[in-house]
Amino acid sequence: MNSGWRLSSSVLVMLAAGLLAVAPGGTRAAQLRDPLQPAGHWTERNFGDAPRPPMGWNSWNAFHTRIDEAKLLGSARVIVESGLRDLGYRYINIDDGWWLSRHQPDGRMVVRAGIFPSAFNRDPDRTSFRPLVDQLHAMHLKAGIYTDIGRNSCSQGYPQPDSLLPIGTIAEREVGLYGHVHQDLALYFDEWGFDYIKVDGCGLNAFAPDRPAVEAGQFRAFPAYVVPDSINQTRVAKIRALYTEVRDELIRLRPAGNFVFSICNWGTANVRAWGRDVGNLWRTSDDIDGHWARMLYNFDSVATRELYSGPGHWNDPDMLEVGHGDFDAHHLAAARTHFALWAIEDAPLIIGLDLRQAPQSLLDVLGAPEVIAVDQDPAGNQGVIAYDSDDLEIIVKQLAKRDQKAVVIFNRGTEPVKATLTAAQLKFAVDAPIAVRDLWRRRDLGPFVGETTFSLAPRASMMLRVTGRPELRDGVYLSEMPARIYVAADGIRALQADPQIHRPVYMGDGTTRGAGPRPALAGWGGPRADSTPYDNVLRLRGETFRSGIGALANSRLEVRALGEFARFTARVGVDDSSLERATRVRFEVYGDGRLLAQSPKLAFTDPPYALAADVKGVDTIELIAREFGDAHAPTLVTWGAAALTQAVSRAAETP
Ligand code: GLA
């Protein structure tokens, strides 16, 4: 294949994936630029107010649409009085159920004042959430509201027998943002003073012309932009464009950036790839519930997305189910595991429990200060999988202090497991003592050298903070700084569902009729830390790399060096697990737009090539893997032992 074909084919793929379609204010020419062309600067957009994963409370998991003001304020008071607010839980978010109707013909949204009495107005069309928001602000809390990106809401699309639904004519029941973005956001943020908005997506999938309620004339039809189990039928670019319109309106309304924008389209529409550009958090999966298996599904949907999250922009595996079902006060070990997993993945910590009823034991889980500190660590590095099996996982997260990591050792299975944690998994020196702190018990355990072993009951986990001597003494592996990597082009040509995500029984209609939940969430093939895109170990001609970045060919990664390093090194090549073996790949390293180093065009059979570049003073490094030849299958590339160091590092350059 010639390079002209390659360029246009990758642009077409980008367009199909909705990656280029909505660069705000961008010209068509700019949008059609070669996605592998170095940008010369860090291109991630910064907006909103989420330097750390948002923390707070939301009404949905506790009450569904049966929310009311007393319930909301009751939980808010517990958050203040129990000290949870001072641990970081700030947002009190109203979910589905608050709305009565959209007044006609002016289109102003009307609050269901019967359940939110403070919103009452003598003129029933002029209800206002302002008094409630003021009250929350007076409690030093922040307030969140909920809407939908389409015309109608999830509770209308998937009503439960007791759902509180909007009332009135078809137009009065169109409570979603579609066609009202400016009007509604101005009402919610300017007039009512909200700080946070969650924008759901049911208006784009539950009101297709063939839906019984639509055929019966209850709702206006809306084409099924989202087809949850079919990424190829989902209209990715249109969905991204709708959410981008909301982002831009929020930026206009709140130029100081005092808003949080939560995208809730359940991991569909390849949101993995664009959520970071559009929202402050984006759901990575369908709804959580109180079942262990469902929690695994939500967890798995973020666990391999470590390169897509960072300060300002977070993967969201959904709100917490601590206190419900398999995570209730009778199952505290499982509750701690769920909470620890969310913390190590930098998930937003949004409580979903009626706190008025919560026993102290559950408040202690939600309020574990040293576990919360891991979630809120300022470096914002999501945890990276260090050991993986279907039964046991070890996840390691680099903390802001260079010699500290958080670790979760997690027994997913049904048997007790002896789990050995090694210095190598932590990327710590094997011959230096490693101090260990148990973050639940808030107690130091004895230090170890080399390795240490724990016994874990089924569904139990350990959450530790370890302090040791970094393996790379004068620098850092790129896979230890995922928050500072931005995936500018992922190289994916055809979106594929991720087969690694746990598929619990009781999804869909809640029964085991039919064929079961099959892989549905796109993302298979995205770049990874310490793994190939398809979850293999990184390996070049038989040489295994415990540290490195795995990607597809025709990818471009931006690395935020911020002038802190002197040298970039990596051993690169076409990975042993590559599906395509006939093409060649050139590895290019740019610093602030200047070519600093490149490999020859490497074939599958070539040994690893040592790349080194002087990056003194460089703010943004770009790593580009450019493919030559006619590819018939995905080409996997490995940036083995990729590292940034102060000086030449032996560890990074010798096998
Ligand atoms: C969707 C969302 C949930 C909740 C409900 C409300 O299912 O994913 O978090 O907001 O809608 O109806």
Side-chain angles (χ1 to χ4, degrees):
M1 141 199 4
N2 63 38
S3 70
W5 186 92
R6 265 199 334 278
L7 170 69
S8 54
S9 75
S10 41
V11 166
L12 281 175
V13 168
M14 297 282 285
L15 283 170
L19 298 178
L20 295 174
V22 283
T27 62
R28 199 172 150 68
Q31 288 170 354
L32 287 176
R33 92 199 222 310
D34 176 3
L36 296 186
Q37 192 184 317
H41 60 100
W42 178 253
T43 60
E44 181 189 34
R45 283 197 65 170
N46 207 14
F47 51 84
D49 183 21
R52 315 256 189 282
M55 294 174 64
W57 180 92
N58 174 294
S59 53
W60 181 255
N61 288 354
F63 302 115
H64 290 183
T65 58
R66 291 279 155 183
I67 173 67
D68 65 39
E69 194 164 323
K71 290 172 178 165
L72 179 126
L73 286 173
S75 280
R77 281 192 199 101
V78 175
I79 284 185
V80 174
E81 285 156 15
S82 66
L84 288 176
R85 178 194 64 192
D86 298 333
L87 286 163
Y89 293 95
R90 284 297 163 92
Y91 291 97
I92 304 295
N93 296 345
I94 304 168
D95 209 278
D96 206 343
W98 65 263
W99 32 38
L100 188 67
S101 63
R102 183 182 291 285
H103 184 252
Q104 300 299 327
D106 63 0
R108 183 185 164 94
M109 286 297 299
V110 180
V111 182
R112 191 181 285 271
I115 55 173
F116 287 101
S118 72
F120 176 81
N121 191 295
R122 256 190 231 120
D123 175 354
D125 309 330
R126 306 292 301 176
T127 53
S128 172
F129 264 136
R130 188 80 214 197
L132 178 59
V133 170
D134 286 347
Q135 196 175 344
L136 292 170
H137 286 167
M139 296 163 80
H140 301 287
L141 295 165
K142 290 174 182 277
I145 193 160
Y146 168 89
T147 184
D148 196 281
I149 195 77
R151 292 196 191 100
N152 293 100
S153 72
C154 288
S155 54
Q156 292 173 311
Y158 302 98
Q160 297 171 9
D162 67 342
S163 292
L164 275 183
L165 300 176
I167 60 168
T169 63
I170 288 182
E172 285 168 334
R173 285 184 285 107
E174 289 184 347
V175 294
L177 282 182
Y178 194 79
H180 296 275
V181 170
H182 171 73
Q183 177 181 27
D184 288 0
L185 295 181
L187 179 68
Y188 304 158
F189 282 83
D190 275 352
E191 197 177 321
W192 291 350
F194 279 100
D195 309 288
Y196 182 116
I197 190 161
K198 170 176 165 184
V199 183
D200 220 323
C202 289
L204 307 185
N205 91 323
F207 301 91
D210 61 348
R211 288 287 178 136
V214 175
E215 282 182 331
Q218 289 169 25
F219 300 102
R220 224 182 332 168
F222 196 100
Y225 284 5
V226 177
V227 183
D229 58 359
S230 173
I231 185 61
N232 291 328
Q233 300 284 356
T234 294
R235 294 163 81 165
V236 174
K238 280 197 182 294
I239 295 162
R240 177 180 172 161
L242 287 174
Y243 278 103
T244 303
E245 190 189 340
V246 174
R247 176 201 69 188
D248 291 345
E249 188 60 31
L250 288 168
I251 292 171
R252 255 193 298 280
L253 285 166
R254 292 278 172 96
N258 47 337
F259 66 86
V260 175
F261 178 24
S262 159
I263 296 174
C264 180
N265 74 335
W266 332 291
T268 70
N270 199 29
V271 67
R272 165 199 61 99
W274 52 266
R276 190 168 176 169
D277 301 320
V278 181
N280 299 115
L281 56 154
W282 52 95
R283 284 272 299 278
T284 52
S285 65
D286 202 345
D287 295 3
I288 193 169
D289 66 21
H291 290 101
W292 174 259
R294 192 79 177 212
M295 186 280 289
L296 291 181
Y297 156 77
N298 288 64
F299 167 71
D300 286 348
S301 73
V302 291
T304 57
R305 309 292 199 255
E306 63 276 352
L307 297 184
Y308 291 88
S309 158
H313 310 276
W314 309 101
N315 289 313
D316 175 11
D318 204 1
M319 302 172 290
L320 296 162
E321 284 286 359
V322 170
H324 297 148
D326 292 341
F327 314 102
D328 69 9
H330 305 292
H331 303 90
L332 288 174
R336 280 191 213 100
T337 294
H338 168 23
F339 194 73
L341 291 171
W342 262 232
I344 199 129
E345 299 296 359
D346 291 357
L349 299 178
I350 309 289
I351 298 169
L353 181 63
D354 181 357
L355 291 176
R356 299 171 306 171
Q357 320 293 341
Q360 189 59 41
S361 59
L362 290 175
L363 295 178
D364 289 346
V365 173
L366 295 165
E370 298 188 15
V371 179
I372 292 172
V374 169
D375 182 79
Q376 299 285 302
D377 181 77
N381 290 312
Q382 186 178 308
V384 173
I385 295 171
Y387 173 88
D388 200 17
S389 70
D390 285 339
D391 305 316
L392 188 113
E393 284 184 306
I394 300 177
I395 301 141
V396 177
K397 170 182 156 91
Q398 173 67 52
L399 298 172
K401 286 194 182 137
R402 178 67 186 110
D403 60 352
Q404 289 196 339
K405 318 242 179 187
V407 185
V408 171
I409 309 171
F410 164 34
N411 184 353
R412 297 171 67 111
T414 53
E415 304 279 328
V417 181
K418 273 202 177 359
T420 298
L421 175 70
T422 70
Q425 287 162 342
L426 300 169
K427 303 188 202 302
F428 279 162
V430 292
D431 54 355
I434 296 172
V436 184
R437 187 165 172 82
D438 179 330
L439 298 185
W440 286 111
R441 293 193 179 79
R442 301 170 70 186
R443 226 180 40 208
D444 291 334
L445 309 178
F448 73 95
V449 176
E451 62 177 52
T452 184
T453 298
F454 300 93
S455 294
L456 289 173
R459 299 190 177 178
S461 59
M462 294 290 298
M463 185 160 201
L464 309 170
R465 191 180 63 226
V466 290
T467 309
R469 198 178 79 210
E471 184 178 288
L472 213 52
R473 292 188 78 166
D474 62 346
V476 56
Y477 290 116
L478 259 49
S479 59
E480 294 180 295
M481 49 188 280
R484 290 168 67 168
I485 297 178
Y486 174 70
V487 181
D490 61 18
I492 294 176
R493 292 182 183 208
L495 295 175
Q496 253 184 292
D498 186 338
Q500 294 282 93
I501 296 171
H502 188 79
R503 295 173 289 126
V505 68
Y506 306 133
M507 288 194 65
D509 69 356
T511 77
T512 62
R513 294 185 191 91
R518 300 308 168 100
L521 301 170
W524 193 229
R528 295 283 309 277
D530 298 343
S531 168
T532 74
Y534 300 142
D535 220 36
N536 283 312
V537 293
L538 300 168
R539 189 153 42 214
L540 298 175
R541 296 303 70 75
E543 183 187 337
T544 296
F545 293 88
R546 284 187 292 101
S547 296
I549 302 292
L552 295 182
N554 291 330
S555 55
R556 178 168 67 86
L557 307 177
E558 295 172 11
V559 182
R560 198 152 213 203
L562 293 173
E564 292 171 14
F565 302 98
R567 204 162 163 78
F568 169 81
T569 51
R571 289 162 56 76
V572 299
V574 178
D575 193 88
D576 286 2
S577 66
S578 184
L579 300 174
E580 172 62 57
R581 291 179 294 164
T583 60
R584 292 187 300 159
V585 177
R586 191 169 68 208
F587 294 76
E588 305 167 1
V589 181
Y590 284 81
D592 296 334
R594 272 187 316 120
L595 181 65
L596 302 179
Q598 65 179 357
S599 73
K601 294 175 186 167
L602 296 174
F604 179 74
T605 46
D606 284 330
Y609 180 86
L611 263 180
D614 176 352
V615 295
K616 269 191 227 82
V618 169
D619 181 80
T620 302
I621 298 168
E622 288 171 79
L623 304 180
I624 297 166
R626 197 182 289 273
E627 185 166 34
F628 296 85
D630 221 343
H632 297 286
T635 305
L636 281 81
V637 301
T638 286
W639 299 84
L644 285 166
T645 49
Q646 293 306 321
V648 181
S649 161
R650 292 233 171 97
E653 289 199 339
T654 50

